[in-house]
Amino acid sequence: MGERKWHAEWAHLPTGLARDVVFVVDGGRFVAVTSGVPAQQAAADGAERLPGVVLPGLANCHSHAFHRALRGRTHHGGGTFWTWREGMYAVASRLDPASYLGLARATYAEMALAGVTAVGEFHYLHHQLEGTPYDDPNAMGQALIQAAAEAGVRLTLLDTLYLSGGLTADGHVPLEGPQLRFGDGDVQRWAERVSGLSDHTSGGPAHLRLGGAIHSVRAVPRDQLALVPDCGVADGTDPLHIHLSEQPAENEATLAAHGLTPTQLLAEEGVLAPNLTAVHATHLTETDIGLLGSAHATACFCLTTERDLADGIGPARALADAGVRLSLGSDQHAVIDLIEEARALEMHERLDSLQRGRFSPGELLAAATAHDTIGWPDAGRLEVGARADLVAVRLDSPRTAGSDPAQVLLSATAADVDTVIVDGQVVVTDGRHRLEDGRRLGAQLAEAIEPLWEGAH
C-alpha cells in the first residue's frame, strides 16, 4: 500500500494523552509516532487529518455474532435468563452457513463503526440441526472468518467445546434439540475438527487468530475439563475462554454436583492459567477471586449484557486488585458500544460501592484495548511497531462537546466514532462503514435478521 500519514490533535499514547501527533504507517504497522507537530506542518508533509481524539483500536473480547438477531426481541413478559435462552435457541436452529455469513458480516461491521478493530468470537454453532457435520466440518466457522474479512476487522475464532445440555446435582444431562448443533462428542473429536483450521501464525488468513473456549462447567463434564489444556486447541500461549459464574444457578448446580464452585473446579482440573479468560465472572467468592488472581487470568466483563439479562454486578475492582487482567465484550449485542462497556465498568462499580473513581480513565482504556487476551499482543497501543489501528472519536458532538480529551470514555458513545483504521486500512470514514455503498448498515442488518423470525410469535 505504501506509506500513509495521519495527524491527530489529541491521541492517547502509552505515555498518556499527547497533542498534535503524527502517525506514519507502512505495511500495516506504525513506523513513526511523533507528538508536537502542528497541524499546518503535518498537512504540508502529506498527513491526513483525524478529527477529535485518537484511541488505539478497541478489542471486543467476547462475542456471539448470531445473538445480534435477538436485540429488541426478548423483553416480552419480563422473562429470565433462561427464557431468553429459549429465544437464542430458536435463532440458532434457523441459521446455515450462508445466512450466518450475512448476519455476522453486518454484525462485525456494526462493531467496526463502534471502533472495534478485533473481535473474539465465542463460536459454538458448529453443525447441522441434528448434530451432523457439514461437508466442511468447519463451514460455520469459515462463514465467520469470511464475514470478519469483509467487515474489515481481525477475528479471534474461539472455537468452543460444548458437550452436555446442562448440569444437575445428579450430573450432566445430554444435549437435546438445538443444542445438538453445538456438540462434538468429546475433547478429542473437538480438537480433530479444529485442527482443520489455520490462522495467520501457521499460514492461514492474515486477519485470523485461533483459540479455544470451554462453554461452561455446565456444558463440559469434569473428566473432559482436564483434557482441554493439552489437547492442541489452546496451549499455554493460545487464548482459552470460558463462561464462568454468570448465574447463581450455575454455582448452585456445580456445588451440588462436585462440592466446588466453578472456579474451584477449574483450579482442581488444571484449567486456570494466564491464557484463560473468565467471561462474566459475576458471582464469585473471595476464594474464587484469589484463585483467578493467583493464576494471572483475565476476566472479561460484558456489562451491557449482564444488565440486560439481570445477571448482576461482578466484582471488577476486587478482581483487578487481586491481579486479574480486565477485558470487555459485547456478548449478546443488546448494545454494541465498547465505549459504553468501558464506562459501565466504572458506573456499575459506583452503584455497587457508592464511591466514584473506582477505575481511572486509563484503566478503562486498558480494559477496552486488551487485544493480547484474544491473541493479538502486537495491537492495542499507539506506538512504533504495533499494528496500525486507530479510532478517531469526535469532540464536537452534542455528547462530547466540552469534554476533556483525557476523559472521553466517560462522555462519548459509539455514535461519536468518526474514523476507524485496522492494520493501516481505512474501514470507517465520517462515521460510515466501507460496506455502506448505497445501502446503510441498518438495512443490511434487517435483511439478515428478519428471516430468522418469520413465523415466530
Side-chain angles (χ1 to χ4, degrees), residues 312-335:
I313 297 174
R317 185 69 261 173
L319 283 163
D321 290 343
V324 176
R325 175 79 183 274
L326 300 183
S327 65
L328 301 171
S330 61
D331 192 5
Q332 59 133 338
H333 315 309
V335 178

Side-chain angles (χ1 to χ4, degrees), residues 104-307:
R105 178 176 54 231
T107 301
Y108 293 153
E110 184 181 358
M111 292 182 197
L113 284 176
V116 171
T117 58
V119 54
E121 181 64 34
F122 201 102
H123 167 54
Y124 55 83
L125 190 53
H126 300 308
H127 305 300
Q128 299 182 67
L129 274 180
E130 301 303 318
T132 304
Y134 288 98
D135 291 340
D136 174 358
N138 291 300
M140 295 294 270
Q142 293 288 3
L144 293 167
I145 294 167
Q146 182 180 344
E150 294 180 9
V153 299
R154 291 190 301 277
L155 176 72
T156 301
L157 188 67
L158 298 164
D159 198 288
T160 303
L161 178 67
Y162 200 130
L163 302 178
S164 69
L167 178 63
T168 70
D170 298 322
H172 287 84
V173 299
L175 299 172
E176 62 178 8
Q179 295 174 331
L180 293 170
R181 304 193 71 176
F182 310 159
D184 287 298
D186 57 32
V187 168
Q188 182 178 354
R189 281 178 280 181
W190 171 60
E192 288 173 353
R193 179 178 55 74
V194 178
S195 70
L197 296 167
S198 298
D199 68 11
H200 78 280
T201 67
S202 56
H207 73 293
L208 177 64
R209 183 72 166 90
L210 294 176
I214 299 164
H215 180 272
S216 60
V217 298
R218 292 182 290 108
V220 178
R222 184 172 186 172
D223 64 338
Q224 297 291 296
L225 283 174
L227 303 177
V228 172
D230 299 316
C231 73
V233 173
D235 64 21
T237 59
D238 297 321
L240 177 65
H241 290 217
I242 183 171
H243 293 129
L244 186 70
S245 292
E246 180 179 4
Q247 291 285 325
E250 176 184 317
N251 290 358
E252 294 161 5
T254 311
L255 284 165
H258 303 294
L260 301 166
T261 67
T263 304
Q264 290 173 322
L265 180 60
L266 295 182
E268 290 212 357
E269 297 306 325
V271 178
L272 289 189
N275 69 321
L276 183 74
T277 291
V279 180
H280 301 302
T282 305
H283 301 282
L284 302 178
T285 66
E286 289 186 12
T287 298
D288 295 338
I289 293 170
L291 287 169
L292 289 164
S294 296
H296 303 292
T298 297
C300 181
F301 279 73
C302 305
L303 298 108
T304 60
T305 287
E306 287 146 15
R307 67 192 184 207

